[in-house]
């Protein structure tokens, strides 16, 4: 081996150079990352909606000894509690050795993902085809949703008050559903539409049946036949759709991608790829110094509005309860609290490299990405984490040998986006975005690297323990 030159030695000392996890981690750690992802894939396949993710997490937490939170009970260090908010968000908490007045460590990820929601009155028949009208949820590229198999998940509250859970399209043998698209032979006019209108919102209609009821011709016999089947299977009538939440999501499971199986393709990585490692990190930290609060929130994809989103006061109230239990003032707790807003960022895609500043982009396999600010229009509408707090996260990650990188959401003025970070910042806690880089974000089939998923777990755990 040739001797390093003086310049090489100096470069090693002075230059910032994030590396592929494979060059940083030993074989054992890479194998550990692959293993971690086996259970992550199970989580992905079990949890296609925020409700399912909340219920699954509650189940896991109970198995780990978490008890349902009682704001009027007494708790001691090491006690573990959970709280489910309207079935769509979850808080996991482990009481720390230090008084709550010292602040808590918050991990905040979201469990809602872009999808097609059924309209309140969705079912109709046209030209002897039965369809569902939808209203898309979150920032989707509408043209990506036709011609893929869709499953239907959610709940229906029946006239008699009974709640029916619907989950159809994922199990072998299940039928699936589909939004149709125009054939290329007849798409001359469609081809001239701008990208956002190639498929319009009102064209996202889901095909659900084509066979009429009975042998005697009657109006809407196909719709009638579908309703008859739904009535037999779920006991519902058309009016019950008014009090339902039904979400059409991709029907295929998460799978390995690549000859080397280093990647995972799935619907809903954003943001279950941060939610799952957050939960695993919360479980792993059994006797924390600071009380840990892991929140899996809903409605991030539509601006965090609504009573299960982080613009609602539910997290604030939970922390106020923790403060009261610890005989501390809420204001003291929150001003001393720190948070990782655990959300994905855009991974650098060489096919579309021009939207990124390569020096400030996040790369697959270079670990979790710390995003100091998101927003748009000159850092508008974002939390911009202060350097002191970024340092403390950097220090915790480095000490725990977490593979991590920095990354902005694209070039300046190329677009933009946001996370829940600004809502946590609004409470007064220190917060920064940290998450997994994703390719094809918000598509029905997103891509992440296994090494990064594992680093999310490792990084979140280091943060909770620091
Ligand atoms: Mn997200
Ligand atoms: Mn998103």
């Amino acid at each position: 081996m040739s001797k390093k030159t003086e310049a090489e030695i100096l470069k090693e000392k002075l230059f910032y150079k994030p590396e592929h996890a494979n060059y940083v981690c030993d074989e054992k750690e890479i194998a550990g990352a692959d293993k971690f992802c086996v259970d992550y894939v199970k989580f992905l396949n079990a949890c296609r909606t925020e409700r399912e993710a909340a219920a699954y997490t509650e189940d896991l937490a109970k198995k780990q000894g978490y008890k349902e939170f009682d704001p009027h009970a007494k708790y001691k260090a090491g006690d573990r509690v959970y709280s489910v908010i309207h079935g769509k968000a979850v808080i996991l908490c482990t009481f720390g050795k230090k008084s709550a007045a010292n602040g808590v460590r918050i991990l905040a990820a979201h469990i809602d993902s872009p999808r097609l929601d059924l309209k309140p009155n969705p079912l109709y028949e046209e030209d002897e085809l039965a369809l569902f009208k939808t209203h898309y949820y979150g920032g989707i590229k509408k043209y990506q949703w036709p011609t893929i198999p869709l499953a239907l998940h959610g709940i229906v509250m029946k006239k008699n008050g009974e709640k029916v859970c619907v989950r159809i399209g994922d199990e072998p043998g299940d039928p699936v559903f589909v939004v149709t698209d125009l054939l290329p032979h007849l798409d001359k006019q469609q081809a001239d539409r701008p990208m956002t209108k190639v498929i319009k919102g009102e064209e996202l209609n889901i095909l659900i049946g084509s066979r009429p009821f009975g042998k005697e011709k009657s109006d809407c016999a196909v719709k009638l036949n579908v309703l008859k089947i739904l009535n037999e299977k779920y006991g519902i009538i058309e009016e019950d759709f008014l009090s339902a939440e039904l979400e059409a999501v991709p029907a295929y499971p998460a799978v390995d991608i690549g000859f080397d199986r280093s990647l995972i393709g799935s619907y809903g990585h954003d943001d279950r790829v941060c939610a799952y490692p957050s939960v695993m990190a919360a479980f792993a930290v059994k006797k924390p110094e600071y009380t840990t609060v892991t929140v899996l929130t809903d409605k991030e994809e539509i601006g965090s509005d609504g009573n299960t989103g982080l613009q609602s006061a539910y997290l604030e109230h939970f922390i106020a309860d923790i403060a009261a239990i610890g005989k501390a003032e809420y204001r003291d707790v929150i001003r001393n609290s720190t948070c990782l807003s655990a959300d994905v960022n855009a991974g650098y895609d060489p096919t579309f490299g021009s939207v990124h500043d390569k020096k400030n982009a996040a790369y697959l396999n270079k670990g979790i990405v710390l995003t100091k600010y998101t927003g748009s229009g000159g850092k508008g509408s974002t939390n911009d984490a202060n350097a002191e707090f970024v340092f403390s996260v950097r220090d915790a990650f480095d000490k725990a040998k977490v593979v991590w990188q920095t990354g902005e959401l694209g070039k300046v003025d190329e677009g933009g986006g946001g996370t829940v970070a600004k809502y946590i910042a609004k409470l007064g806690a220190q917060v920064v975005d940290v998450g997994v880089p994703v390719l094809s974000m918000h598509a029905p089939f997103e891509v992440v690297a296994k090494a990064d998923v594992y680093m999310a777990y490792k990084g979140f755990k280091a943060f909770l323990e620091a």
Side-chain angles (χ1 to χ4, degrees):
M1 231 169 75
S2 57
K3 229 180 125 220
K4 280 181 185 163
T5 65
E6 199 181 335
E8 279 168 348
I9 293 165
L10 203 54
K11 277 181 191 169
E12 263 176 36
K13 186 179 163 195
L14 299 180
F15 282 11
Y16 167 59
K17 201 171 177 295
E19 296 279 11
H20 192 297
N22 213 51
Y23 302 132
V24 186
C25 306
D26 58 23
E27 284 305 312
K28 208 176 135 206
E29 188 157 42
I30 296 293
D34 290 350
K35 192 160 168 275
F36 182 83
C37 286
V38 171
D39 287 331
Y40 170 51
V41 164
K42 279 185 200 154
F43 179 81
L44 280 172
N45 291 339
C47 308
R48 312 299 275 182
T49 67
E50 60 281 9
R51 278 181 193 275
E52 289 168 359
Y56 191 91
T57 304
E58 181 183 353
D59 261 9
L60 289 181
K62 281 181 183 163
K63 283 180 194 145
Q64 292 282 326
Y66 284 71
K67 299 273 183 286
E68 189 164 11
F69 179 57
D70 173 2
H72 306 291
K74 285 202 170 95
Y75 292 103
K76 58 180 191 309
D79 284 347
R80 313 181 108 188
V81 295
Y82 73 88
S83 181
V84 179
I85 296 93
H86 302 305
K88 298 182 189 178
V90 190
I91 298 173
L92 304 175
C93 169
T94 303
F95 287 85
K97 293 175 203 157
K98 287 187 194 287
S99 149
N102 294 287
V104 299
R105 296 276 183 269
I106 307 165
L107 284 175
H110 67 92
I111 47 178
D112 61 318
S113 297
R115 62 189 187 241
L116 306 179
D117 285 347
L118 296 200
K119 288 192 183 188
N121 185 21
L123 178 57
Y124 70 105
E125 174 178 338
E126 212 164 323
D127 303 304
E128 298 183 314
L129 293 176
L131 300 114
F132 277 146
K133 292 299 293 180
T134 69
H135 197 139
Y136 67 94
Y137 173 98
I140 63 165
K141 294 170 87 164
K142 295 188 273 291
Y143 74 82
Q144 293 177 333
W145 290 75
T147 70
I148 59 168
L150 296 171
L152 206 59
H153 290 232
I155 64 148
V156 182
M157 292 301 299
K158 284 163 43 174
K159 213 179 177 70
N160 64 4
E162 193 191 324
K163 184 193 281 189
V164 184
C165 289
V166 174
R167 189 185 168 111
I168 182 165
D170 309 272
E171 294 303 317
D174 274 5
V176 298
F177 313 97
V178 71
V179 173
T180 53
D181 196 0
L182 209 44
L183 62 168
H185 317 68
L186 295 176
D187 75 349
K188 272 218 161 340
Q189 288 183 46
Q190 186 191 31
D192 290 335
R193 294 184 188 177
M195 189 267 271
T196 52
K197 290 181 179 143
V198 169
I199 294 291
K200 297 175 188 169
E202 290 290 352
E203 292 169 344
L204 290 167
N205 304 319
I206 302 175
L207 185 59
I208 54 164
S210 72
R211 190 169 287 174
F213 172 78
K215 294 291 177 195
E216 278 167 45
K217 279 190 189 173
S218 73
D219 252 12
C220 290
V222 177
K223 171 179 163 176
L224 178 64
N225 198 41
V226 165
L227 265 176
K228 181 178 162 275
I229 293 165
L230 289 174
N231 186 261
E232 283 164 3
K233 189 169 168 67
Y234 302 109
I236 60 175
I237 59 172
E238 188 176 19
E239 200 182 340
D240 292 332
F241 283 118
L242 303 181
S243 51
E245 285 180 316
L246 292 167
E247 307 175 5
V249 295
Y252 36 77
V255 287
D256 284 354
I257 291 185
F259 291 112
D260 57 12
R261 296 179 170 267
S262 59
L263 308 157
I264 304 168
S266 176
Y267 164 68
H269 280 312
D270 177 9
D271 183 35
R272 292 169 200 141
V273 74
C274 295
Y276 180 77
S278 296
V279 169
M280 291 303 120
F283 288 172
V285 180
K286 298 224 158 67
K287 292 260 161 115
E289 289 294 316
Y290 296 89
T291 296
T292 67
V293 175
T294 301
V295 48
L296 306 189
T297 192
D298 179 32
K299 298 284 180 280
E300 193 280 338
E301 295 296 357
I302 55 167
S304 297
D305 292 298
N307 61 6
T308 50
L310 270 188
Q311 290 217 60
S312 114
Y314 77 82
L315 178 62
E316 212 174 324
H317 291 164
F318 183 86
I319 294 171
D321 288 338
I322 298 291
I325 287 165
K327 298 192 168 47
E329 285 290 331
Y330 167 74
R331 290 193 302 275
D332 289 329
V333 178
I334 200 70
R335 72 165 67 97
N336 290 320
S337 291
T338 55
C339 173
L340 295 187
S341 161
D343 206 346
V344 298
N345 198 342
Y348 180 84
D349 184 340
T351 304
F352 299 103
S354 69
V355 302
H356 296 281
D357 161 18
K358 287 196 84 165
K359 284 182 62 59
N360 286 280
Y363 297 82
L364 262 65
N365 284 303
K366 290 191 177 180
I368 37 173
V369 47
L370 185 150
T371 307
K372 192 171 178 294
Y373 48 84
T374 56
S376 60
K379 295 192 175 183
S381 199
T382 184
N383 167 66
D384 189 351
N386 64 53
E388 293 89 338
F389 179 56
V390 171
F391 164 75
S392 70
V393 175
R394 171 188 171 191
D395 192 46
F397 285 175
D398 286 345
K399 280 179 178 149
K401 295 196 160 52
V402 176
V403 182
W404 68 283
Q405 56 187 325
T406 187
E408 274 200 42
L409 182 55
K411 272 182 181 167
V412 178
D413 291 340
E414 191 69 42
T419 64
V420 300
K422 62 179 175 178
Y423 307 117
I424 305 277
K426 199 173 176 184
L427 302 179
Q430 296 275 28
V431 56
V432 69
D433 281 299
V434 176
V436 172
V438 178
L439 298 182
S440 310
M441 194 199 295
H442 285 201
F445 194 68
E446 304 172 309
V447 180
V448 300
K450 289 180 180 177
D452 300 332
V453 182
Y454 177 70
M455 285 304 153
Y457 162 72
K458 199 171 166 181
F460 298 161
K461 180 167 171 280
F463 168 76
L464 294 180
E465 285 173 335

